[in-house]
Amino acid sequence: MTRRSHEQLRLTADLAILTVREGSLQVLTVHRGNEPFRGHRALPGGFVRPRETVDDTAARELREETGLAGVHLEQLAVFSDPDRDPSGRVVTVAYLAVAPDLPVPEAGSDATAASWEPVDQMLDPAADLAFDHGQILAAAVERARGKLEYTTLAAAFCGPEFTIAELRTVYESLWGARLDHRNFSRKVLGTDGFLTPTGQRTSSGVGRPAMLYRRGPATTLHPPMLRHSMDLPVSPERRTTRTAGPRRVNGEHPG
Amino acid sequence: MTRRSHEQLRLTADLAILTVREGSLQVLTVHRGNEPFRGHRALPGGFVRPRETVDDTAARELREETGLAGVHLEQLAVFSDPDRDPSGRVVTVAYLAVAPDLPVPEAGSDATAASWEPVDQMLDPAADLAFDHGQILAAAVERARGKLEYTTLAAAFCGPEFTIAELRTVYESLWGARLDHRNFSRKVLGTDGFLTPTGQRTSSGVGRPAMLYRRGPATTLHPPMLRHSMDLPVSPERRTTRTAGPRRVNGEHPG
DNA sequence: ACAAAAGTGTTGGACTTACACCCATGC
DNA sequence: GCATGGGTGTAAGTCCAACACTTTTGT
């Protein structure tokens, strides 16, 4: 392919649409029918139109792919390596979208068949996502993980009404850790404006029915939800003793 | 001006370069000598070159404006209103840069004279920054304020060696609150990897000389620096009593 | 009855806050 | 001496991790 130095720059919006299905973090992908990267999986996205903001582009693509509107959508980062798209100079604005568990998109089952795929698999180099979409996905997951700590983003993964256990599953799926359900419950209930009780209770399933809640008005968590509490004593053996309870070590991630 | 629907889209990087000078948060601005917005102040920035990433553009502009390299530089957001630049379709990627107190740029005192200006003044509508640079600056300040809480970003405002008091001034300038110097000291010293002692002490100034420190390897703060502790009992009257010590209320900012 | 899931109570420890008090320097 | 700023000690309160225990359902 030609590499003209003065070719026109094009701008796209690409979306990492995340959800939690059956306790696993999943991402919406499309199957590319055209070059470049024909046959590869990619994140949904498209070109910015002349009289559109990039945010509008992202919202439009989201609607076109999932039929959803009003879900959480935020800018992630700009990816602008001159060679990221072999067909020319294309800069993309990556977005993180968070959706509840949908009844599978399969929008018309047209050429670009969309499907939910486990994030773990898509982040594996073997998945070989098109363009730099592996990087975009990694950034999206990292952002979502972090925002669970200090925002109410987790509720965006749930439907309009949900139980505390469902909410906890979101945390556990993203953090890959078990949380103590008793402390978790107290924590979210004690955070003003996180949950609004509906008065309803779940009916199906074994065990004591759970209360149902709706999203409350709060968006930030003070104090934050801490990323500790790894339990899961699979066998009845004591977990490693954690003598001088190391809260958390200062890591490298700049934020 | 003409409005052609298919005109070429151009991409720029704009920088909000922040510093703390004399206890006040300041931003580097340039004076525009050309249309549009001739005569207005603006944030430094420029076009993305054909074989350059946007991050490279930002780093290059930073170097050209301040001579600095290696300072903290991060993507903030994309601003893409189709009418944000009356001269055509220009999408910009805004960056936050954090620099120590420089000996004033005044790079050659050429046409685009650069200068530090207090952020308060530049955020006032009367300052009338060019384009949407007021929005960009507001986003930059908000980001910096937030990151002080849970990262070691504050140290990026200081020179290579600094005292705890200097570091505290950064927090106080950005948060507009006084912090208790005794608790602040313990907090930062107790955070592993935040500060590395040099063994040196300050010489000038009245009062007991302070220890000098360098930035440590840590980048995140766990637990975070809390945004409380407003004191400043200017006169020896009791501050408002804060009966049932309200930690913080869950606000609206999504993060 | 038993397993499973939801929910309450309680305790030790970590962290914060507020402030008394001591140290080192310039004038 | 004394004002000024740097630094240590400490006690009360808040929050959290851990876990015993109770409640409510399905089988």
Side-chain angles (χ1 to χ4, degrees):
Chain A
M1 51 223 63
T2 55
R3 171 142 302 134
R4 292 155 296 145
S5 170
H6 297 296
E7 68 193 339
Q8 179 163 343
L9 182 149
R10 287 173 295 165
L11 193 61
T12 60
D14 285 326
L15 282 79
I17 309 170
L18 302 182
T19 197
V20 171
R21 292 166 64 83
E22 298 147 21
S24 128
L25 181 62
Q26 309 210 351
V27 59
L28 192 70
T29 64
V30 296
H31 201 251
R32 286 187 63 82
N34 296 12
E35 294 295 346
F37 294 101
R38 173 182 222 137
H40 291 237
R41 295 221 148 265
L43 300 178
F47 288 101
V48 175
R49 294 179 178 166
R51 299 277 315 151
E52 200 177 45
T53 67
V54 188
D55 287 358
D56 288 341
T57 308
R60 175 171 55 74
E61 293 290 339
L62 181 63
R63 198 172 51 246
E64 290 174 7
E65 290 296 341
T66 67
L68 271 189
V71 311
H72 178 91
L73 186 63
E74 71 177 61
Q75 281 186 20
L76 248 190
V78 173
F79 291 79
S80 59
D81 188 305
D83 300 319
R84 61 178 293 280
D85 187 330
S87 70
R89 178 70 148 135
V90 180
V91 169
T92 195
V93 183
Y95 281 79
L96 163 65
V98 171
D101 188 357
L102 301 172
V104 187
E106 305 295 1
S109 71
D110 59 349
T112 65
S115 67
W116 293 111
E117 302 290 342
V119 162
D120 297 347
Q121 287 176 29
M122 292 298 106
L123 284 179
D124 190 298
D128 208 21
L129 286 177
F131 308 102
D132 46 12
H133 289 186
Q135 279 181 62
I136 294 178
L137 178 57
V141 172
E142 204 41 58
R143 175 79 134 267
R145 277 190 184 133
K147 288 197 95 166
L148 290 195
E149 287 192 81
Y150 59 96
T151 73
T152 59
L153 179 64
F157 282 95
C158 299
E161 298 195 350
F162 54 92
T163 64
I164 294 184
E166 286 180 69
L167 189 64
R168 183 164 45 85
T169 306
V170 172
Y171 279 91
E172 292 177 339
S173 304
L174 273 133
W175 288 354
R178 299 268 115 161
L179 300 179
D180 185 290
H181 74 98
R182 299 156 291 186
N183 292 332
F184 182 83
S185 192
R186 250 193 303 265
K187 174 72 180 175
V188 295
L189 289 175
T191 299
D192 241 54
F194 196 168
L195 300 182
T196 309
T198 62
Q200 307 285 91
R201 297 190 314 163
T202 48
S203 45
S204 68
V206 5
R208 174 172 169 176
M211 299 282 293
L212 279 169
Y213 297 88
R214 257 189 285 278
R215 286 189 271 280
T219 60
T220 58
L221 258 38
H222 285 285
M225 180 76 62
L226 295 175
R227 215 158 163 176
H228 286 263
S229 316
M230 51 308 203
D231 269 346
L232 185 74
V234 184
S235 53
E237 57 185 282
R238 232 73 201 118
R239 78 188 96 9
T240 57
T241 1
R242 291 221 292 131
T243 330
R247 288 188 75 82
R248 186 154 14 149
V249 179
N250 290 298
E252 49 254 28
H253 186 57
Chain B
M1 56 223 58
T2 54
R3 170 142 301 135
R4 290 155 298 143
S5 170
H6 296 298
E7 69 192 339
Q8 179 163 341
L9 181 148
R10 285 172 296 164
L11 193 60
T12 59
D14 286 327
L15 282 78
I17 309 169
L18 302 183
T19 197
V20 171
R21 292 165 66 83
E22 297 146 22
S24 129
L25 182 62
Q26 309 210 351
V27 59
L28 191 71
T29 64
V30 296
H31 200 253
R32 286 188 62 83
N34 296 14
E35 294 296 345
F37 294 101
R38 172 181 222 139
H40 290 238
R41 295 222 148 267
L43 299 179
F47 289 101
V48 175
R49 294 180 177 166
R51 299 277 313 152
E52 200 179 44
T53 67
V54 188
D55 288 358
D56 288 340
T57 308
R60 176 171 55 73
E61 294 289 339
L62 180 64
R63 198 171 53 245
E64 289 173 6
E65 290 295 340
T66 68
L68 272 189
V71 312
H72 178 92
L73 186 62
E74 70 176 63
Q75 281 186 20
L76 248 190
V78 173
F79 290 79
S80 59
D81 187 306
D83 301 319
R84 62 178 292 280
D85 187 330
S87 70
R89 179 70 148 136
V90 180
V91 170
T92 194
V93 183
Y95 282 78
L96 163 65
V98 171
D101 188 357
L102 301 172
V104 188
E106 304 295 0
S109 69
D110 59 348
T112 66
S115 66
W116 293 112
E117 302 290 342
V119 162
D120 298 347
Q121 288 175 29
M122 292 299 106
L123 284 179
D124 190 298
D128 207 21
L129 286 177
F131 308 102
D132 46 11
H133 288 186
Q135 278 181 62
I136 293 177
L137 178 56
V141 172
E142 202 43 57
R143 176 84 131 250
R145 277 191 184 131
K147 289 196 95 167
L148 289 196
E149 286 193 83
Y150 59 95
T151 73
T152 58
L153 179 64
F157 282 94
C158 299
E161 298 195 348
F162 52 92
T163 65
I164 295 183
E166 287 180 68
L167 190 65
R168 182 164 45 84
T169 306
V170 172
Y171 279 91
E172 292 178 338
S173 303
L174 273 134
W175 287 354
R178 299 268 113 160
L179 300 178
D180 185 289
H181 74 98
R182 298 157 292 187
N183 292 333
F184 182 83
S185 190
R186 250 194 304 268
K187 173 71 181 177
V188 296
L189 288 174
T191 298
D192 241 53
F194 196 168
L195 300 182
T196 308
T198 63
Q200 307 285 93
R201 298 191 312 164
T202 49
S203 44
S204 68
V206 8
R208 174 174 169 175
M211 300 281 293
L212 279 169
Y213 296 89
R214 258 189 283 278
R215 287 189 271 280
T219 59
T220 58
L221 259 38
H222 284 285
M225 180 76 63
L226 296 174
R227 215 161 166 174
H228 286 263
S229 316
M230 52 306 206
D231 271 344
L232 184 75
V234 183
S235 52
E237 58 185 281
R238 233 69 203 124
R239 77 187 98 7
T240 57
T241 0
R242 290 221 292 130
T243 329
R247 288 188 75 80
R248 184 147 23 142
V249 178
N250 289 297
E252 48 253 28
H253 185 57

